[in-house]
């Protein structure tokens, strides 16, 4: 239905530019109480460096955080791109028309709508009808709203001292669950992972995942779209949009509620029905969507696809300074059971000769290439150069292990250079604590796909291989 | 063969007490160069607070780090429990007899032995024969040696500023790969995970995994034994020992080289042949060994088993404040494909009533119990109390998510109390960055099994269920 509405209003996807980068924001229900969402949203705008005009609205008037407070939406001196309503559900409905008539986008934060029963569903109908009257679009209700690192718009309430928000990046994140989304972003902030946008759909009375997917499909900044979805607003429309977007950029979806019991939990959570998982799986394949199964895979795959290149064949070369890591990696690459069912490359004789004679005489030149604890930064450089010239190699997994004496921080730059200029797609694995974490942040800053365990590194390769297959498939179907 | 030698010498496993907690240590090849292992071992002993007597040995004499240096092993004033030889392979062989005759245990660190070919194998025979003559036992060669947090013995060379060593704990770690072992310990130091001992077998000319497994099986401090193994020294002996130990404490093994190509890589790495993976799998089942597939599972499972209790049935109750986390968890618990194939508990009517009426009226009382972002510490306490009384629940997975306003650090104490005194085995999941990490360290300190993702938390439950089944099986076979 939302798909039809979208067509009916003849809106362009680029209208979402005004949501992502609003000229001005009204906060309806602004509060002086630092624990209330009506304060936190204003605090977020101030602290995140939001550069547009801010209009707090509260009948009491006055000033909050240096912003002049307006007694009603009517008194706000101009129409706004975005209005955030931080009031409880019934109050939200009551003042909704006064807000909608002056706003392009409205985010009603409150829960207590459709997820609680019939009465709530009626309230949703009410605000939807008002919004249509004015051509205003709604995100939510029952949502933590949106977080846009580049423009400083952040409507989410979490305890700042116990949670981190990520910086700017190229990953667009659309989620039906606000909490899961915020937790996931907090978690990957440990590696300084960046996002282009975070949007929590909530009860989805108006804007749904399909319009947003189409928008981020066109958005130049976003290199990948990741989604947490419990149910699709309009499956047919989704497939149409996903297929179109997949040709341009990868889509990764964590589809929750894939078991009967999980589906039941999802219906209690967001009030929507999920449908058969086998159907979802088939649909994803047809429209080129990559599937993730948990919050770790969702962002790992997003990062792999945003920073890495599609892998055009199954033959992987592995470079390590720890023999055991090479063995376990080999198992994971070759095994179908606990592994990705790809192949260890058989290196050409020339590559082996080059590595053995010119680069690292003490290394094992069978793939996995084990350079031992004697490996230096330069050794890595030489081995990566040799592998980049080998026609038997489709992709490289290189372990950057910083614990041995002849390795330095420069290894990050060396690997980054091969990632950017080498002929082969490359994935980096690293294992360690504080120092490894710092180096991961540097790789992340350089947009090199890096992962903190053997399994996660290998799975990233699988996903880059899958992306190449998807592109081939979509092209084939088109012809 | 080593098993026979073990019997022949009529040594008790408790002899390894002198390796773990030596009265005195000789460092043969002591050096004043801080980059050399002959210096680092002395530095480790000093910095880790090793309390025994230390005898550096170097023909030059003098003093290193305040320790008097002896010109030869002959001049060391007493026999030693442990001698670490930090010299190259050929020199190690040359002076080996002078060391072996005065030492209970010798650790020759150098590579360049059996793993390099026939000549190296002969050198191994030579030191093995000398050791036998004196009843001296060898760990290695080609090893990073041992690390014992509680006694301060640490023979491993890594760059301190780029690597962390874990603290004291109840996990015994036996590994065939030194580097993989050190990397893994560095990695979990992020959560302050502790170890009772770390022993790198190296080329295994004498002491092998079977004797050590038997020792740690008896060791009161170690609650679990985790092992990285590429090949077994004596498979038959291993099964005998493992079966005996499994009855007392859990064994987790990462058996690498499980694919043909992985096996080949392993043979190049440690020079040993792995054998069929199907055979290993069957053998593990028979002797109650739990299998891990990578470095993350190895320690996760070790921690789950060291701190958690066996789970006696398939019915899991899940507590969360984030609905989406509950849905994904439900999928992982119930699914056979990407999941553990267990069951979500059907809570009794009484439990539901208790939770709804007395504890958290706003929560979803269907399992997963979603307490929403309004959850408080006390709500968790009440819900855990109710679940502990429910006969339909075999174990509890509780998510401690610290990002919402009414949760505090006290939640760690509340959950710890239910872990210790509750009727049901309990696993904790958490998702986040800096603050979550600090809370994970507290859970770890309290020996509560805590994991930083949905999948890892759920897999810990599976392993605790597997442990219960193993205990039943071993008992049944015995009767």
């Amino acid at each position: 239905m939302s798909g039809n509405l979208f067509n009916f209003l003849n809106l362009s996807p680029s209208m979402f530019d005004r949501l992502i980068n609003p000229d001005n924001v009204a906060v309806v229900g602004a509060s002086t109480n630092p624990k209330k969402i009506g304060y936190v949203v204003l605090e977020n705008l101030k602290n995140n460096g939001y550069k547009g005009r801010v209009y707090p609205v509260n009948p009491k008037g006055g000033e909050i955080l240096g912003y002049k407070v307006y007694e009603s939406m009517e008194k706000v001196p101009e129409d706004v791109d975005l209005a955030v309503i931080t009031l409880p559900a019934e109050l939200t409905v009551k003042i909704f028309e006064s807000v909608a008539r002056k706003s392009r986008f409205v985010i009603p934060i409150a829960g207590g709508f459709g997820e609680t029963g019939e009465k709530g569903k009626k309230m949703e109908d009410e605000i939807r009808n008002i919004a249509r009257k004015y051509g205003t679009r709604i995100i939510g209700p029952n949502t933590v709203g949106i977080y846009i690192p580049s423009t400083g718009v952040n409507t989410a309430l979490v305890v700042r001292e116990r949670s981190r928000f990520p910086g700017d990046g190229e990953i667009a994140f659309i989620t039906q669950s606000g909490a899961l989304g915020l937790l996931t972003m907090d978690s990957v902030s440990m590696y300084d992972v960046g996002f282009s946008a975070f949007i929590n759909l909530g009860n989805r009375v108006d804007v749904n995942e399909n319009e947003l997917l189409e928008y981020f499909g066109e958005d130049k900044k976003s290199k990948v779209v990741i989604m947490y979805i419990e149910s699709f607003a309009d499956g047919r429309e989704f497939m149409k949009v996903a297929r179109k977007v997949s040709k341009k950029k990868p889509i990764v979806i964590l589809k929750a509620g894939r078991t009967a019991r999980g589906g039941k939990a999802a219906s209690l959570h967001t009030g929507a029905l999920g449908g058969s998982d086998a159907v979802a799986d088939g649909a994803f394949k047809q429209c080129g969507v990559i599937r993730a199964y948990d919050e770790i895979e969702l962002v790992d795959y997003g990062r792999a696809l945003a920073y890495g290149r599609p892998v055009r064949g199954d033959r992987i070369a592995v470079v390590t300074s720890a023999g055991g890591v090479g063995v376990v990696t080999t198992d994971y690459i070759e095994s179908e059971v606990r592994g990705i069912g790809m192949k260890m490359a058989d290196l050409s004789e020339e590559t082996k000769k080059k590595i053995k004679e010119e680069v690292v005489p003490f290394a094992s030149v069978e793939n996995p290439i084990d350079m031992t604890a004697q490996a230096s930064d330069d050794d890595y450089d030489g081995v990566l150069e040799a592998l980049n010239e080998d026609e038997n190699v489709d992709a490289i997994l290189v372990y950057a292990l910083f614990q041995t004496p002849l390795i330095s921080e420069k290894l990050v730059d060396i690997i980054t250079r091969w990632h950017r200029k080498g002929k082969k797609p490359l994935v980096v694995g690293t294992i360690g604590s504080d120092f490894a974490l710092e180096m991961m942040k540097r790789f992340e800053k350089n947009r090199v796909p890096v992962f903190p365990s053997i399994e996660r590194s290998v799975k990233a390769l699988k996903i880059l291989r899958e992306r190449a297959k998807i592109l081939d498939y979509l092209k084939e179907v088109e012809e």
Side-chain angles (χ1 to χ4, degrees), chain A:
Chain A
M1 195 194 68
S2 297
N4 298 339
L5 170 68
F6 184 68
N7 296 331
F8 169 71
L9 292 173
N10 197 21
L11 296 164
S12 148
S14 66
M15 68 171 173
F16 286 110
D17 284 345
R18 307 263 45 86
L19 173 69
I20 300 299
N21 189 13
D23 277 340
N24 43 18
V25 178
V27 180
V28 183
S31 168
T32 52
N33 179 347
K35 292 204 164 178
K36 292 221 162 164
I37 177 73
Y39 178 92
V40 172
V41 174
L42 289 167
E43 194 186 29
N44 287 340
L45 291 168
K46 188 155 200 99
N47 292 347
N48 296 350
Y50 171 67
K51 294 202 164 53
R53 296 175 296 287
V54 177
Y55 301 115
V57 177
N58 186 310
K60 291 178 195 154
E63 206 182 90
I64 304 174
L65 288 163
Y67 297 119
K68 171 179 159 54
V69 179
Y70 294 82
E71 282 154 36
S72 67
M73 195 65 192
E74 283 81 4
K75 297 216 168 151
V76 169
E78 59 179 339
D79 283 3
V80 295
D81 284 337
L82 173 62
V84 186
I85 306 180
T86 62
L87 300 165
E90 303 213 349
L91 220 47
T92 296
V93 177
K94 206 173 154 193
I95 54 92
F96 198 81
E97 185 148 11
S98 73
V99 179
R101 69 193 308 161
K102 290 187 79 170
S103 315
R104 279 179 200 262
F105 288 92
V106 180
I107 303 180
I109 301 284
F113 281 90
E115 81 280 11
T116 58
E118 276 314 307
K119 197 185 151 206
K121 287 211 173 78
K122 277 192 188 141
M123 286 156 67
E124 287 184 356
D125 289 341
E126 209 172 318
I127 61 170
R128 188 193 292 111
N129 289 334
I130 295 169
R132 283 198 190 170
K133 203 162 95 183
Y134 297 102
T136 299
R137 307 304 308 271
I138 304 174
I139 311 281
N142 190 22
T143 178
V144 302
I146 68 174
Y147 169 55
I148 316 295
S150 62
T151 59
V153 179
N154 183 359
T155 67
L157 170 65
V158 291
V159 181
R160 277 298 178 130
E161 308 83 60
R162 300 196 233 125
S163 184
R164 280 178 61 187
F165 280 94
D168 195 19
E170 292 91 48
I171 300 170
F173 189 178
I174 303 168
T175 178
Q176 211 170 342
S177 167
L180 185 133
L182 293 173
L183 291 167
T184 299
M185 288 198 300
D186 179 11
S187 166
V188 299
S189 293
M190 205 187 279
Y191 312 118
D192 286 353
V193 176
F195 290 80
S196 56
F198 165 83
I199 299 187
N200 178 202
L201 299 167
N203 287 7
R204 215 166 40 180
V205 299
D206 176 21
V207 171
N208 66 26
E209 64 276 16
N210 297 330
E211 291 174 79
L212 291 169
L213 179 57
E214 185 158 19
Y215 173 73
F216 289 118
E218 296 292 334
D219 175 40
K220 287 214 172 61
K221 183 163 190 179
S222 304
K223 296 230 165 90
V224 66
V225 184
I226 67 174
M227 301 169 78
Y228 171 85
I229 293 288
E230 293 178 358
S231 64
F232 288 93
D234 179 340
R236 196 179 294 258
E237 176 73 11
F238 168 77
M239 284 191 66
K240 215 179 78 186
V241 176
R243 193 169 198 134
K244 200 172 82 177
V245 171
S246 285
K247 285 178 200 161
K248 286 177 283 188
K249 64 185 73 169
I251 305 167
V252 185
I253 297 189
L254 169 50
K255 168 68 181 68
R258 60 191 169 90
T259 58
R261 188 79 184 232
K264 194 183 154 202
S267 76
L268 288 168
H269 178 219
T270 48
L273 288 169
S276 148
D277 193 58
V279 171
D281 219 31
F284 287 169
K285 284 211 173 74
Q286 276 183 56
C287 56
V289 165
I290 287 167
R291 194 157 185 184
Y293 286 87
D294 68 1
E295 81 286 4
I296 303 283
E297 287 186 356
L298 184 63
V299 183
D300 274 3
Y301 294 176
R303 290 166 63 234
L305 292 160
Y307 315 152
R309 283 179 275 163
V311 172
R312 299 279 170 197
D314 279 346
R315 303 161 307 168
I316 310 299
V318 175
V319 186
T320 177
S321 62
V325 171
V327 179
V328 175
T329 301
T330 301
D331 285 338
Y332 261 106
I333 286 175
E334 294 244 333
S335 176
E336 298 275 357
V337 188
R338 278 296 304 265
I340 61 171
M342 286 171 71
K343 294 275 156 250
M344 292 294 283
D346 292 312
L347 304 181
S348 76
E349 288 309 315
E350 207 192 320
T351 303
K352 290 189 201 178
K353 209 176 137 191
K354 234 187 276 176
I355 295 177
K356 194 83 187 169
E357 291 182 1
E358 297 168 32
V359 188
V360 273
F362 54 87
S364 160
V365 293
E366 293 299 323
N367 186 18
I369 298 158
D370 176 10
M371 297 199 288
T372 81
Q374 296 177 59
S376 71
D377 296 342
D378 285 347
D379 295 340
Y380 270 89
D381 200 22
V383 168
L384 289 174
E385 183 172 6
L387 291 176
N388 264 284
E389 294 303 322
D390 192 328
E391 286 184 0
N392 297 338
V393 173
D394 295 309
I396 300 167
L397 168 51
V398 52
Y399 284 99
L401 306 168
F402 294 92
Q403 290 88 344
T404 54
L406 307 180
I407 295 300
S408 82
E409 303 181 14
K410 278 184 199 150
L411 184 55
V412 175
D413 306 320
I414 291 166
I415 292 175
T416 298
R417 187 159 38 78
W418 285 110
H419 167 65
R420 287 182 183 158
K421 298 194 179 160
K423 293 175 187 168
K424 317 283 183 184
L426 183 150
V427 161
V428 182
T430 192
I431 301 175
S433 52
D434 306 355
F435 192 84
L437 195 59
E438 283 311 307
M439 296 304 103
M440 273 191 77
K441 287 180 185 172
R442 287 205 203 168
F443 278 121
E444 181 69 30
K445 197 176 172 191
N446 294 349
R447 300 296 190 256
V448 178
V450 61
F451 303 91
S453 86
I454 296 171
E455 189 186 19
R456 288 169 69 177
S457 306
V458 172
K459 278 158 81 180
L461 282 170
K462 181 187 81 170
I463 291 310
L464 291 174
R465 179 78 191 104
E466 201 174 319
R467 178 65 186 154
K469 286 180 179 169
I470 285 168
L471 288 171
D472 289 346
Y473 166 78
L474 291 174
K475 206 173 159 189
E476 200 175 276
V477 173
E478 205 163 63
E479 277 162 3

